[in-house]
Amino acid sequence: MNRLYLTREDKKLADGESNYTGSGYSIEESKKEQYKVTALLSAVRKINDFTINATVAAEQWDTRRTWQDSWTVNGLRVPGKFDIKNSVKPAETDGLKNTDRKRINSVYAFINADYKGQIFLDITGRNDWSSSLIYSDGTGEVSYFYPSVSSSWIFTETFDLPSFFTFGKLRGSYAIVGNDTDPYLTSIGYYKLDGTFKNSFDGNEYPYYSFDSEALRNSNLKPEKQHSIEFGTEMKFFNNRLGLDLAWYKTNTKNQILALSQAAESGVSSRWINAGNIQNSGIELVISGKPIDTPNFGWDLTANYTRNRNKIVELAPDVEKYYIEGGGMDCAAWATVGGAYGDIYTAYAYKRNAKGEKELNSTGGWIRAGTQEKIGSLQPDFLGGILSVLRYKNLSLNMLFDARFGGNIISGTYNYGSYSGALENTLYGRDKEHGGLQRTLSDGTVLFDGMIPEGVFTSGTVIGGVDVSGVSYQKAYEDGLVTPVAAQKYYENKHSWGNGIRESALFESSWVAFRELSLHYSIPQKLTKKLALNTVNVGFIVRNLGYLYNSLPDNIHPEGLPSNRSSAFVEIGGSAYTRSYGFNINVSF
């Protein structure tokens, strides 16, 4: 059994002109309890060349939470004395006992079998009964069964292969994993006292109530299940000096329980649904090698490659898009049927004609699409990494590199830095040296800060009595119908908060990072034994040394996202790229 106790106090001194104004005290205490009881029976049997291990078990898991929150009202009677009894007006208290309750009863069994240490078979089966899936009328799909089967064959133990073939294994598996949800999502909810208000006509106070949740619950929720299949191989050659591990996988998550956003007019912010079918498939590859392997000097290399493809096969009836998150740049990541988890949409994309050309207004400003348009995806094409370990006697030098290629990011730094002229890319067009075109003001002043916007004039645009619909700004300039746009106006049109095009801040997020460099030295045992020590290792570590390649302009930090969520895609207000240094000593006795 586990018990977690948490106490949180909030103490406020006066923040006004007296010792009482703004003062207050609150204390919140909570207790979370969890217990698990398991009964297990195992057996082992060997029959000729077969070895069988079997286990059956029953289990009960239970959790609940109790909390109480008390706070003073209208300040403290005695300044600086933080006590609930010191409240000017009667203190208030809220709390619940034994809430967030959930219980899961389970039975499961598994069998592990092998034949001559060459062929292995594992079979499991588990059935859960979860209280969180009980409907308000006592019914519900509380029971869900999920099995798995996996097998592997070490074929180098079966066949007499050439000596360079050190080890070989084939493997395959199929598994279903079931999952329930949080408590109470299948109940209709309840109204609770939210406070009182004073009636100005009769002077009396009356209570008012609110619904206990802004999310509409679902009395028909089903358990979600993840179906996964995998095939792979592991091979080693030349006495383990070269190795390969390759796997292909496909995972389909069905009936995933999630909150679907709703219009404010509905009275709720979201509703709970079972999402239909979300698929991930891909390959994973690890190659390892020892180019140099001698008693005094060695070099180990390990490289990994991961390629995942995500597809939304189905969401829910009449639901084609599911909102994942925004990011402060008028853009949002969505899960779209037929698309992927993390397709990026915005209404502030470029408006384009049937040919895909950007449309301009009569002054050379870009026109916003006005409707939600897909401009990219946060899903990368592939991920990779390399670990290099150089060893010379008791000294080792480790280098770690990792990489991402493909997928998109929206850069707030680029957008607003370009709008303000703070970034190097905005030097272009400012003067003749940086490609600025001649521009003559009304008073005859000649400047060289002119720029030509990319795009064509939108339909119905007339300049100087000439219909320039579909004509590029470059062609209209060459025909003498328009003059270059001032550089300041050019960047304002593209990046301003009020009229800018957010798509202009969309970039491919590809990078190769020098993630870690470490140097370790193991002090010889003939010295450590004199100090009654077994081993002593000292090391110096540097993390985040820099980027060997970065696809973003102006050295913008591609990992400087404001959160570590997998759906984060907007670089704005995130952390700076930080290099850290460390020193460690490991001693064993």
Side-chain angles (χ1 to χ4, degrees), residues 81 95 107 118 168 173 299 323-324 335 367 373 435 456 494 536 557:
K81 183 180 180 181
V107 293
Q118 301 174 13
S173 66
W299 183 20
Y323 176 83
I324 301 173
I367 302 173
E373 301 290 336
V456 299
K494 184 173 283 190
V536 177
H557 184 199

Side-chain angles (χ1 to χ4, degrees), residues 392-412:
Y392 177 70
K393 294 186 177 179
N394 291 0
L395 190 68
S396 66
L397 177 68
N398 304 332
M399 292 180 287
L400 176 64
F401 305 86
D402 60 11
R404 166 192 167 123
F405 285 90
N408 298 114
I409 188 174
I410 294 284
S411 174

Side-chain angles (χ1 to χ4, degrees), residues 12-24 74-76 79:
K12 294 182 180 179
L13 295 171
D15 58 7
E17 297 179 354
S18 71
N19 289 335
Y20 307 96
T21 307
S23 62
N74 278 20
L76 302 173

Side-chain angles (χ1 to χ4, degrees), residues 247-264:
W248 172 87
Y249 65 88
K250 187 175 79 166
T251 301
N252 289 77
T253 303
K254 300 180 179 180
N255 290 327
Q256 183 172 0
I257 299 172
L258 47 82
L260 183 68
S261 298
Q262 299 293 294

Side-chain angles (χ1 to χ4, degrees), residues 419-457:
Y419 168 64
S420 63
L423 297 182
E424 185 179 357
N425 77 85
T426 61
L427 289 175
Y428 179 74
R430 289 192 187 188
D431 50 39
K432 193 173 184 178
E433 180 184 355
H434 291 93
L437 301 175
Q438 181 175 320
R439 193 169 62 88
T440 304
L441 304 183
S442 58
D443 62 359
T445 303
V446 176
L447 302 175
F448 288 90
D449 67 343
M451 299 183 70
I452 303 298
E454 321 85 55
V456 299
F457 290 104

Side-chain angles (χ1 to χ4, degrees), residues 99-172:
T99 186
D100 297 340
R101 295 192 62 180
K102 184 166 77 169
R103 175 176 293 177
I104 300 176
N105 295 324
S106 309
V107 293
Y108 56 89
F110 54 87
I111 296 175
N112 310 115
D114 77 85
Y115 173 72
K116 291 185 175 181
Q118 301 174 13
I119 300 174
F120 301 85
L121 177 66
D122 299 311
I123 301 174
T124 71
R126 180 180 178 115
N127 202 101
D128 288 346
W129 291 264
S130 173
S131 65
S132 67
L133 294 170
I134 295 177
Y135 303 157
S136 56
D137 62 359
T139 63
E141 296 191 30
V142 299
S143 173
Y144 47 99
F145 174 72
Y146 44 104
S148 73
V149 58
S150 64
S151 182
S152 62
W153 174 31
I154 303 177
F155 56 85
T156 47
E157 295 292 327
T158 305
F159 303 113
D160 186 14
L161 298 176
S163 59
F164 70 84
F165 209 133
T166 309
F167 178 83
K169 180 170 73 173
L170 298 175
R171 64 181 185 269

